[in-house]
Amino acid sequence: MLSIQDIHTYYGDSYILQGVSLDLQPGTVVALLGRNGVGKSTLVRSITGLTPPARGRIVFKGVDITRLPAYRIARLGIGLVPQGRRVFRSLSVHEHLQVTARGTGGWTVEKIVDLFPNLGNRMRSQGGKLSGGEQQMLAAARALVGNPDLLLMDEPTEGLAPLMVRDLGRAIESLKAAGTSILLVEQQLAFALRYADIVYIMSKGQIVHRCTPAELSADAQTKSRYLGV
Ligand code: ATP
Ligand code: MG
């Protein structure tokens, strides 16, 4: 589904991703963990074409997407829930969902409302008038109506109240059941371990560990060294 092969990514002169490789099999959830500033969002930006790598290769569904512009990568079926929401202040919830709708079947506005009832009550509200949690839900909903084959979620639980974390968990379960692949960047270890099939850990721009959630749960040394827990 997704194969990241030894990518190196820079912001100007800052050398951030220093040879990252990662594989994601169809229909699986891969969790990407690591402390603040290690390069998790930079990896997401590299995949989506927002900050393309200077070296290395990224292959999605057999297509080399390393040098494709972001809009073409999105059209191939990669959805993004960006860190920090990024909703439009003056567009209503309904307009957000109309803008990103892609493909037929799968996720429709009606299904989204079933999944996120809070959002259903706010369809006519402007993005800027939503609470932080509602904006985060909208960011997830906007990615879902694009019916992606691969969904990249960059810290989707950040700033969410427990009830909304539960709704988001239900969304991930529905996506998994429908065969969607997910790359889940998370700070909440328990949440990541609950949904992941495979866990990768980053430190200082490199992948330093790959294991199953059960293995990580039992590995106090790795958790304290790379995750500070
Ligand atoms: P967090 O958990 O806080 O979201 P992260 O693992 O997602 O962290 P990145 O956002 O990928 O980390 O940042 C990796 C490094 O790149 C950091 O040192 C950061 O300061 C730097 N960085 C991020 N964005 C830029 C930018 N636009 N220009 C220059 N440096 C940047
Ligand atoms: Mg980040």
Side-chain angles (χ1 to χ4, degrees):
M1 165 70 45
L2 180 73
S3 170
I4 299 173
Q5 302 162 12
D6 191 30
I7 63 167
H8 300 255
T9 302
Y10 296 75
Y11 293 114
D13 290 337
S14 304
Y15 182 27
I16 309 295
L17 298 188
Q18 308 183 357
V20 168
S21 299
L22 181 150
D23 273 297
L24 196 151
Q25 300 301 320
T28 63
V29 178
V30 168
L32 180 64
L33 309 177
R35 293 180 195 262
N36 290 122
V38 296
K40 304 181 298 295
S41 295
T42 305
L43 180 55
V44 168
R45 292 181 62 87
S46 298
I47 298 168
T48 52
L50 298 171
T51 307
R55 299 199 298 285
R57 234 161 73 97
I58 304 177
V59 179
F60 174 62
K61 292 193 295 192
V63 179
D64 186 335
I65 61 169
T66 322
R67 306 268 173 266
L68 291 185
Y71 76 93
R72 292 214 23 219
I73 294 173
R75 273 194 209 154
L76 284 172
I78 297 186
L80 170 65
V81 183
Q83 186 170 13
R85 300 156 193 144
R86 304 287 161 82
V87 307
F88 297 104
R89 302 193 66 78
S90 60
L91 287 191
S92 71
V93 169
H94 193 253
E95 286 164 342
H96 272 91
L97 300 182
Q98 283 177 319
V99 166
T100 45
R102 166 189 166 271
T104 49
W107 292 96
T108 57
V109 172
E110 292 70 35
K111 274 184 145 184
I112 297 284
V113 172
D114 283 345
L115 199 61
F116 302 130
N118 293 337
L119 221 46
N121 298 330
R122 311 287 322 251
M123 274 298 161
R124 302 286 153 203
S125 304
Q126 291 184 327
K129 302 256 165 63
L130 302 178
S131 72
E134 287 168 343
Q135 289 185 11
Q136 188 68 285
M137 287 288 142
L138 174 55
R142 174 176 64 182
L144 290 185
V145 292
N147 287 296
D149 301 314
L150 169 64
L151 183 61
L152 311 175
M153 307 181 92
D154 195 348
E155 304 204 20
T157 65
E158 201 173 21
L160 284 191
L163 275 180
M164 286 185 165
V165 172
R166 192 202 58 189
D167 285 350
L168 192 73
R170 289 198 351 244
I172 291 176
E173 275 167 2
S174 305
L175 285 163
K176 239 181 139 165
T180 307
S181 311
I182 301 175
L183 180 65
L184 175 65
V185 177
E186 256 303 331
Q187 291 279 349
Q188 286 198 36
L189 180 62
F191 186 84
L193 293 180
R194 188 141 157 217
Y195 298 106
D197 299 297
I198 291 288
V199 178
Y200 283 81
I201 300 179
M202 276 186 91
S203 177
K204 296 179 189 160
Q206 298 182 323
I207 300 289
V208 290
H209 202 75
R210 178 184 181 279
C211 63
T212 65
E215 284 163 349
L216 184 59
S217 290
D219 186 348
Q221 197 182 342
T222 298
K223 281 190 288 190
S224 99
R225 180 161 176 203
Y226 294 117
L227 306 175
V229 293

